[in-house]
Amino acid sequence: MMAGKSTDRRETISLRKRFFRITNLLFLVLIGIQFLPDQSANPALSMNVIWFAAGLEVLVLLVSAVIKRQAGLTLFLDIVGFIYVFLILWTLASAKFMWLKESLFPPPGRVFAQFIEDIDKVWVNVLSSLGIIVQGYLLAVVIAIPLGLFLGWKSRVGNAATYISKFLSAIPPIVYIPYGIALLPTFRSVSVMVIFLATFWPVLASTMSGVMNIEQKIVDSARVLNVNAFTMLFSVILPASLSQIFIGCNQGLTVSFILLTSAEMIGARNGLGYYVKNYSDFGDYTRTILGIIIIGIVVVFISFLFNRLQRYLLRWRR
Amino acid sequence: MSKIEIQHLSVDYKEKNSHFTALKDVTFSVEAGEFVSVIGSSGCGKSTLLSVLEGIHFPSEGDVLIDGTPVRGTGNDRGVVFQQYSLFPWMTARKNVEFGVKQARTNMEKKERYKIADEFLAKVGLEAFKNKYPSQLSGGMQQRVAIARALAMDTDILLMDEPFGAIDAKNRTILQELLLKLWEGDGTKSRKTVVFVTHDIDEAILLADRIILMSTNPGRVNCEIPVPFERPRNRAALVQTVEYSAFRNKLLALFYGDIASKIGGDEVVL
């Protein structure tokens, strides 16, 4: 009757395709090169790399054993493969052959060791940054979406408001920082305000454009069901413009991270941006690299959750 | 008093520089429990007529009365099926029907609403697909859901705007027979009043008690023709009769005669 989803179908993946992959070979190469003699002046702490890689490989083998879809397995193995290649090149370029300056590019083993030593401090900074993002971002989304629905629906106001919000969303929100500092008491509140503004205008603009581009037939079929204004806005207009709204939400999220880490590097006493900037000022590049990697992981993790949410809420689309 | 009375209805569309008369002085009425088909070629204003009945367009002149009261907007006394986009793509089939029931019968409990939704989805043969989204259903199945919703709302009046116009010929036949069966019922309940817009003559004959033939430019009523066939109707038996062919030919002559007179008579080869 209709095209079945591939998830419904049982796929059989051969043992060779499950366990004899390039990624597994790369793991062995990564472990192997750890036993080459170190050239670096300070200890390279290669055991940490071995432990990390072993942990990752155990995960790889577990996933390989249980995963049902071949496409999912390939994607996962490719991502891990890239991590292995990165660690191999890093190990060779730092500890083993010293192609890079040791003070700026410490070997991976030292960064792992630093992570274990600093784990509490890192966690506090992650939470501090995330707290600010979540607060500013959610506040903006919760206000911008209903306002955008309303303004877009009242098309006469909406037309003018579209231009205004496009103009305002084009201004880099970082320029509001001087006003924030003048008006608000703490660095934290300034950051929340900047993230609020960075998210508010794009979400408002995309919500309004979503509402104004709804298929008129959808609106008519809601009208003939005699829906009231509230139901029209939140049960019809909102879901009908949701995919557009997500465009603004995505933009807001991306810009928020850039802004927050930049702001933290300038004026904060904690947060991930502060962590990186503070230790680079002291010439502690082990911690600087650690901070950069943690920022990457946090951003990837948040985007992953966000994409899952988006896919769930838009699951009705083809 | 008729269920629906359309009195001297005219609808003009005014745009910047142009002025377009979609309907001109249309008058007819529909009795309670009657199935009326409005047919005409595209541009005769039959969909505009229906949208005035739906309450989403308004008369420029004249009026439309339901139970003697002028229509002043949409209302939950009318169920509507469009050609497309009747359903909300973000709701499952079941949720779509339940949403309609909720709008029509405001004080019914949720559990009861879902029970009715399931019942009507079963009537249109979609029990197994009730948790699918419209994008996962074929065009014919989507129209079945739309019909299930309109029937589940249990309104006095059903307004159908070329509901099978975008369906392939085989499925259209199946859907016509389904609608016929559901509307004719088993005689225990009074039939709903239906206004059914189509450009398919066979569809109109099979379904309707009376056919309103419309002319183009401006849209107006050409003539009203009662359909002389007994109910319950059976397509297979009906189309083989001489009376059916004769009636169909008479209707075709009126239908195409109107078009021919518009573009110059003899030159038209049909």
Side-chain angles (χ1 to χ4, degrees), chain A residues 255-317:
Chain A
V255 176
S256 293
F257 272 105
I258 296 172
L259 279 177
L260 181 65
T261 40
S262 314
E264 282 172 343
M265 290 180 85
I266 300 167
R269 303 302 304 158
N270 45 29
L272 288 167
Y274 163 78
Y275 186 91
V276 168
K277 174 73 169 119
N278 184 43
Y279 286 112
S280 70
D281 284 349
F282 287 111
D284 185 347
Y285 283 93
T286 308
R287 284 187 165 109
T288 303
I289 288 182
L290 175 62
I292 292 170
I293 292 175
I294 297 289
I295 290 174
I297 292 172
V298 168
V299 173
V300 166
F301 180 69
I302 297 289
S303 329
F304 173 78
L305 288 185
F306 191 78
N307 283 333
R308 291 311 285 265
L309 178 72
Q310 181 169 358
R311 260 169 54 194
Y312 175 73
L313 290 176
L314 295 175
R315 65 193 178 284
W316 46 273
R317 298 177 89 201

Side-chain angles (χ1 to χ4, degrees), chain A residues 98-159:
Chain A
M98 297 281 285
W99 294 327
L100 299 169
K101 205 169 169 215
E102 193 186 348
S103 59
L104 284 178
F105 297 97
R110 289 237 301 278
V111 174
F112 286 124
Q114 192 74 63
F115 174 68
I116 295 159
E117 191 189 318
D118 273 11
I119 191 155
D120 292 338
K121 213 189 284 178
V122 166
W123 186 238
V124 167
N125 287 313
V126 168
L127 287 185
S128 154
S129 295
L130 279 184
I132 292 173
I133 296 237
V134 167
Q135 206 175 330
Y137 187 79
L138 286 186
L139 196 63
V141 166
V142 163
I143 298 174
I145 291 178
L147 189 64
L149 292 176
F150 178 76
L151 290 178
W153 185 232
K154 301 281 165 209
S155 56
R156 210 178 69 86
V157 215
N159 283 329

Side-chain angles (χ1 to χ4, degrees), chain A residues 70-89:
Chain A
Q70 188 169 338
L73 176 63
T74 303
L75 177 66
F76 176 69
L77 288 179
D78 285 353
I79 291 170
V80 176
F82 272 108
I83 296 174
Y84 285 154
V85 168
F86 175 72
L87 286 175
I88 288 168
L89 292 177

Side-chain angles (χ1 to χ4, degrees), chain A residues 41-63:
Chain A
N42 295 312
L45 307 173
S46 298
M47 261 330 271
N48 289 311
V49 183
I50 295 174
W51 280 119
F52 173 79
L56 194 54
E57 188 62 17
V58 167
L59 182 69
V60 166
L61 293 177
L62 275 176
V63 170

Side-chain angles (χ1 to χ4, degrees), chain B:
Chain B
M1 185 178 65
S2 303
K3 185 75 185 171
I4 304 173
E5 281 179 59
I6 298 165
Q7 300 170 338
H8 307 290
L9 173 68
S10 295
V11 175
D12 297 331
Y13 288 119
K14 289 188 192 88
E15 279 164 25
K16 263 181 195 160
N17 303 313
S18 61
H19 179 95
F20 172 67
T21 304
L23 288 173
K24 180 83 183 159
D25 197 22
V26 170
T27 298
F28 68 91
S29 56
V30 182
E31 304 305 317
E34 192 183 18
F35 196 124
V36 166
S37 269
V38 177
I39 65 171
S41 45
S42 49
C44 72
K46 54 191 191 296
S47 289
T48 305
L49 172 67
L50 211 65
S51 66
V52 175
L53 286 172
E54 286 153 8
I56 56 180
H57 274 121
F58 294 95
S60 308
E61 278 169 52
D63 222 335
V64 170
L65 310 180
I66 289 177
D67 293 322
T69 315
V71 171
R72 291 286 175 262
T74 59
N76 52 13
D77 52 347
R78 285 154 277 163
V80 180
V81 180
F82 293 115
Q83 184 174 354
Q84 277 171 322
Y85 301 109
S86 290
L87 304 177
F88 299 119
W90 53 89
M91 294 181 187
T92 60
R94 189 169 186 244
K95 180 75 193 156
N96 261 294
V97 178
E98 186 268 342
F99 186 79
V101 177
K102 185 178 169 188
Q103 290 303 318
R105 303 192 231 170
T106 40
N107 47 13
M108 186 181 277
E109 272 183 45
K110 198 173 188 170
K111 219 175 128 189
E112 186 68 12
R113 295 200 301 260
Y114 277 111
K115 215 184 109 196
I116 291 177
D118 290 343
E119 181 190 323
F120 278 86
L121 283 169
K123 281 189 183 177
V124 298
L126 287 181
E127 277 162 302
F129 296 90
K130 64 185 185 185
N131 291 321
K132 298 281 183 193
Y133 290 98
S135 64
Q136 298 171 298
L137 301 173
S138 68
M141 291 160 107
Q142 289 180 28
Q143 289 308 81
R144 280 171 192 251
V145 179
I147 290 169
R149 180 171 73 185
L151 292 175
M153 288 165 70
D154 199 21
T155 52
D156 288 351
I157 296 172
L158 276 184
L159 304 172
M160 310 184 94
D161 190 358
E162 299 194 46
F164 311 139
I167 312 291
D168 65 273
K170 181 174 168 254
N171 276 302
R172 196 187 311 159
T173 310
I174 296 170
L175 285 169
Q176 287 163 356
E177 281 166 4
L178 175 71
L179 177 65
L180 190 65
K181 196 185 90 191
L182 291 175
W183 178 77
E184 283 178 344
D186 53 9
T188 54
K189 279 182 78 180
S190 61
R191 289 172 179 163
K192 296 189 184 307
T193 311
V194 183
V195 181
F196 187 102
V197 165
T198 180
H199 55 254
D200 179 337
I201 285 184
D202 292 293
E203 183 168 86
I205 302 173
L206 176 72
L207 296 173
D209 294 316
R210 192 154 48 100
I211 291 173
I212 312 274
L213 182 62
M214 293 189 67
S215 303
T216 52
N217 207 7
R220 65 208 136 79
V221 174
N222 180 318
C223 56
E224 296 184 28
I225 309 137
V227 181
F229 304 115
E230 297 257 301
R231 292 186 190 275
R233 289 180 191 159
N234 176 311
R235 176 202 302 274
L238 186 65
V239 294
Q240 284 172 7
T241 60
V242 184
E243 291 83 358
Y244 181 84
S245 309
F247 185 72
R248 186 174 186 277
N249 285 337
K250 182 179 132 195
L251 213 57
L252 275 173
L254 286 165
F255 191 49
Y256 287 115
D258 177 54
I259 296 174
S261 70
K262 282 272 183 275
I263 45 179
D266 306 332
E267 291 162 43
V268 185
V269 179
L270 294 170

